[in-house]
């Protein structure tokens, strides 16, 4: 991976952790917040999209349309799962698990479905991811699993991670093989998500307005930062960076997100949780280098 591509991915990781912090602060708004930041994302990046439509060389086809629709559906499910996870658990639990299980599930799928031969490095990476998740969740106390809602962060984080694995493959295919411009892919899928959720919001508009009270500025922040972080990653892929290296490199956002939760949101800081984040990142790096 070139220095420029690596810089884009690292910058994307910090931006990604930042918008997740904002999203956690608006956890109570639920799906309505997802709708609101999708709306802002469409508005903020509309000038860029118009410029590409006028001056860019865009190619439209049935496979491109299918890729955009599939990506929009997976991204919407991801956004809703992530927002629900932030309603029931800490940012420093849900975020690292969500980011870590994506590469883990991708590797397991490659072993089982594609019959790839697991390497020792890949197996150690999987074990490290599982161990990191365990430490983050339990903080060294296994009785955490027996407490009411003790597994909520794991459930929603894992569900989100599986969707991350899905959209990473679909979007990587769209950018590298179908030639979809990163901004076009992100903007069109945001627009599709907006129209998918619009009837639900309009069915009870007063309730939606009440849910968003005090959260509009946060929605604008997420709408501006979320596409930017992903456009940077897609741009790195478009420049030729291997997907197997991009995915692990951007997972440094896990540690940043966990630290945001601890230092800014006042979530419980323990050596167990910090160690778990470090082990989780190490496992993801091992998985990525094993498949490179």
């Amino acid at each position: 991976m070139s220095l420029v591509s690596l810089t884009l991915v690292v910058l994307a990781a910090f931006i990604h952790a930042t918008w997740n912090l904002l999203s956690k602060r608006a956890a109570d708004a639920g799906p309505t917040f997802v709708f609101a930041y999708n709306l802002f994302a469409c508005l903020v990046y509309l000038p860029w999209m118009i410029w590409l439509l006028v001056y860019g060389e865009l190619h439209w086809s049935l496979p491109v349309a299918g890729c955009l629709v599939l990506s929009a559906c997976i991204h919407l499910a991801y956004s809703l799962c992530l927002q629900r996870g932030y309603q029931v658990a800490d940012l420093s639990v849900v975020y690292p698990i969500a980011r870590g299980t994506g590469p883990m599930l991708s590797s397991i799928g490659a072993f089982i479905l594609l019959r790839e031969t697991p390497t020792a490095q890949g197996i150690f990476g999987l074990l490290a991811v599982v161990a990191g998740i365990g430490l983050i969740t339990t903080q060294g106390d296994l009785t955490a699993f027996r407490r009411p809602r003790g597994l909520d962060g794991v459930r929603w984080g894992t569900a989100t991670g599986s969707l991350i694995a899905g959209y990473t493959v679909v979007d990587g295919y769209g950018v590298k093989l179908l030639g979809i411009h990163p901004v076009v892919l992100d903007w069109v899928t945001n627009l599709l998500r907006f129209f998918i959720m619009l009837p639900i919001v309009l069915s009870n508009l007063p309730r939606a307005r009440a849910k968003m009270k005090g959260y509009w500025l946060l929605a604008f922040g997420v709408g501006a930062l979320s596409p930017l972080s992903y456009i940077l990653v897609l741009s790195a892929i478009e420049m030729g960076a291997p997907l197997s290296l991009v995915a692990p490199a951007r997972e440094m956002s896990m540690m940043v997100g966990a630290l945001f939760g601890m230092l800014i949101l006042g979530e419980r800081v323990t050596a167990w949780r910090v160690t778990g984040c470090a082990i989780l990142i190490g496992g993801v790096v091992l998985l990525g280098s094993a498949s490179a």
Side-chain angles (χ1 to χ4, degrees):
M1 192 188 316
S2 69
L3 180 60
V4 175
S5 297
L6 180 61
T7 301
L8 292 178
V9 174
V10 171
L11 180 59
F14 279 87
I15 295 174
H16 194 281
T18 300
W19 79 251
N20 272 267
L21 171 66
L22 301 179
S23 189
K24 170 61 178 176
R25 286 186 175 276
D28 292 341
T32 309
F33 185 76
V34 175
F35 171 81
Y37 73 67
N38 270 292
L39 170 60
F40 281 122
C42 292
L43 295 175
V44 169
Y45 290 89
L46 180 58
W48 197 346
M49 183 64 184
I50 292 175
W51 189 90
L52 288 171
L53 288 173
V54 174
Y55 298 104
E57 295 182 2
L58 305 182
H59 306 284
W60 303 98
S61 64
L62 191 59
V64 168
C67 180
L68 292 173
V69 171
L70 180 58
S71 175
C73 293
I74 299 175
H75 272 279
L76 178 58
Y78 154 78
S79 299
L80 294 174
C81 274
L82 183 65
Q83 199 67 20
R84 178 57 182 164
Y86 288 155
Q87 286 182 322
V88 300
D90 287 349
L91 172 71
S92 53
V93 171
V94 176
Y95 188 71
I97 291 176
R99 300 308 307 175
T101 51
M104 180 185 74
L105 293 173
S106 297
S107 296
I108 293 175
F111 296 154
I112 297 175
L113 300 177
L114 302 181
R115 301 189 181 280
E116 292 184 3
T117 303
T119 63
Q121 189 170 335
I123 292 173
F124 278 123
L126 288 173
L127 293 175
V129 170
V130 173
I133 290 173
L135 288 176
I136 292 168
T137 307
T138 65
Q139 302 189 76
D141 181 8
L142 294 180
T143 62
F145 289 120
R146 297 198 295 269
R147 297 171 191 158
R149 304 182 70 176
L151 287 174
D152 282 357
V154 177
R155 291 192 188 100
W156 288 103
T158 302
T160 304
S162 66
L163 293 165
I164 290 172
Y167 77 61
T168 299
V169 173
V170 171
D171 294 353
Y173 177 83
V175 169
K176 296 198 79 167
L177 298 183
L178 297 180
I180 305 174
H181 192 284
V183 175
V184 173
L185 188 149
D186 190 82
W187 191 88
V188 172
T189 55
N190 267 308
L191 185 66
L192 291 174
R193 280 176 267 169
F194 169 79
F195 281 113
I196 291 172
M197 297 190 70
L198 183 59
I200 302 172
V201 173
L202 291 180
S203 66
N204 195 340
L205 195 54
R207 181 177 181 273
R209 287 174 177 166
K211 280 279 188 182
M212 283 301 298
K213 187 176 181 180
Y215 294 133
W216 287 107
L217 188 59
L218 292 176
F220 175 81
V222 175
L225 294 177
S226 177
L228 179 59
S229 66
Y230 200 49
I231 288 169
L232 291 175
V233 170
L234 293 178
S235 297
I237 295 173
E238 188 184 39
M239 292 168 61
L243 189 62
S244 58
L245 295 181
V246 169
R250 68 186 295 228
E251 300 309 336
M252 67 179 62
S253 64
M254 288 187 294
M255 181 63 82
V256 179
L259 290 175
F260 279 173
M262 297 173 192
L263 301 178
I264 298 177
L265 300 180
E267 295 172 0
R268 187 181 178 193
V269 181
T270 67
W272 288 106
R273 191 167 282 182
V274 174
T275 302
C277 284
I279 293 175
L280 185 56
I281 292 172
V284 170
V285 172
L286 283 174
L287 288 174
S289 56
S291 60

